[in-house]
Amino acid sequence: PPAPCGPTWTGPRASQASREFEGDCYSDASGANATAAWKRRVSWAIVQVQYDRVQLQLAGPLQYHLQTVPAGELQAATRFLQHVGAAARLGFDCDLISLGLLRGEKWCCSGSRPLADLWREFWAAHRRIADAVELRKVKAHASLQSVHDGLVPGNEKQGNDAADEAAKGMLA
């Protein structure tokens, strides 16, 4: 079946009237047709994981003129901030978001900065809810060995893997 035009909510909590993320959440983006720019498609996903299960998921196609994975990662983080209700933590694996959080809003939103319009949307949502959320970088594509060795917490691997799978699922 074709991908939906907009974001889709799924999971055991998706039917609740209040679709807001809480607790441990993870985001990711994925792309297809990387070698042909005119065919490139990117999708993103956010998952809320509790008791080793995805409880709530929001995923969709990147709705932006530049179909790049960093743009998808930024759109996912922004959607999380727009749909967070209670105290929540977002684990993301994107270096661009880490750099943006380090450098701050002025640097991100500079007119000469790539994705400045997406950054403006991100920072507007962040200002609204900043006290209730924690944003943190997690290891992308962590191995079971890295979990076994204590380098990566098992819940972070599970959450990041679930977000990655959900983003890739939107490309099918």
Side-chain angles (χ1 to χ4, degrees), residues 5 12 21-22 41-42 45 50 56-57 60 71 89 91 115-116 118 124 132 135 139 149-150 157-158 169:
C5 294
F21 292 106
E22 57 189 38
R41 292 184 308 132
V42 172
Q50 186 178 21
L56 186 61
Q57 174 181 303
R89 295 165 298 282
L115 311 177
L118 288 178
L135 304 174
K139 174 82 173 104
D149 292 345
K157 176 181 174 22
Q158 179 193 19

Side-chain angles (χ1 to χ4, degrees), residues 6 20-21 62 66 99 116 135 146-147 151 156 159 167:
E20 295 179 333
F21 292 106
L62 173 60
L66 293 175
L99 182 61
L135 304 174
S146 63
V147 173
L151 301 173
E156 286 187 6

Side-chain angles (χ1 to χ4, degrees), residues 5 26 40 51 80 101 118 141 143 169:
C5 294
Y26 299 87
R40 186 175 301 135
Y51 308 119
F80 167 78
L101 290 169
L118 288 178
H141 311 289
S143 67

Side-chain angles (χ1 to χ4, degrees), residues 10 15 19 26-27 32 51 58 73 78 82 94 99 107 146 162 167:
T10 58
S15 62
R19 293 179 179 162
Y26 299 87
S27 66
Y51 308 119
L58 178 62
E73 297 269 7
T78 301
Q82 293 169 337
C94 178
L99 182 61
W107 181 84
S146 63

Side-chain angles (χ1 to χ4, degrees), residues 96 99-100 103-110 113 119:
L96 177 68
L99 182 61
R103 295 278 177 102
E105 183 175 358
K106 185 176 179 182
W107 181 84
C108 295
C109 299
S110 166
R113 182 82 40 227
W119 276 115

Side-chain angles (χ1 to χ4, degrees), residues 3-170:
C5 294
T8 304
W9 290 93
T10 58
R13 290 191 46 237
S15 62
Q16 294 179 357
S18 174
R19 293 179 179 162
E20 295 179 333
F21 292 106
E22 57 189 38
D24 290 323
C25 302
Y26 299 87
S27 66
D28 209 350
S30 189
N33 299 317
T35 57
W38 61 275
K39 292 193 317 183
R40 186 175 301 135
R41 292 184 308 132
V42 172
S43 62
W44 54 267
I46 309 154
V47 297
Q48 177 184 322
V49 179
Q50 186 178 21
Y51 308 119
D52 296 330
R53 293 191 56 224
V54 172
Q55 298 295 318
L56 186 61
Q57 174 181 303
L58 178 62
L62 173 60
Q63 296 171 326
Y64 191 65
H65 66 281
L66 293 175
Q67 291 290 303
T68 66
V69 171
E73 297 269 7
L74 189 52
Q75 193 166 78
T78 301
R79 295 297 177 261
F80 167 78
L81 292 170
Q82 293 169 337
H83 294 284
V84 68
R89 295 165 298 282
L90 178 68
F92 58 87
D93 63 8
C94 178
D95 290 336
L96 177 68
I97 296 174
S98 290
L99 182 61
L101 290 169
L102 179 67
R103 295 278 177 102
E105 183 175 358
K106 185 176 179 182
W107 181 84
C108 295
C109 299
S110 166
S112 63
R113 182 82 40 227
L115 311 177
D117 48 346
L118 288 178
W119 276 115
R120 286 185 202 100
E121 197 177 338
F122 171 88
W123 285 105
H126 188 268
R127 280 192 305 275
R128 181 186 67 79
I129 197 77
D131 292 340
V133 299
E134 174 190 339
L135 304 174
R136 70 187 187 288
K137 176 93 164 56
V138 298
K139 174 82 173 104
H141 311 289
S143 67
L144 287 174
Q145 186 64 47
S146 63
V147 173
H148 177 71
D149 292 345
L151 301 173
V152 175
N155 64 320
E156 286 187 6
K157 176 181 174 22
Q158 179 193 19
N160 187 256
D161 287 354
D164 185 49
E165 182 180 320
K168 287 178 180 172
M170 291 302 295

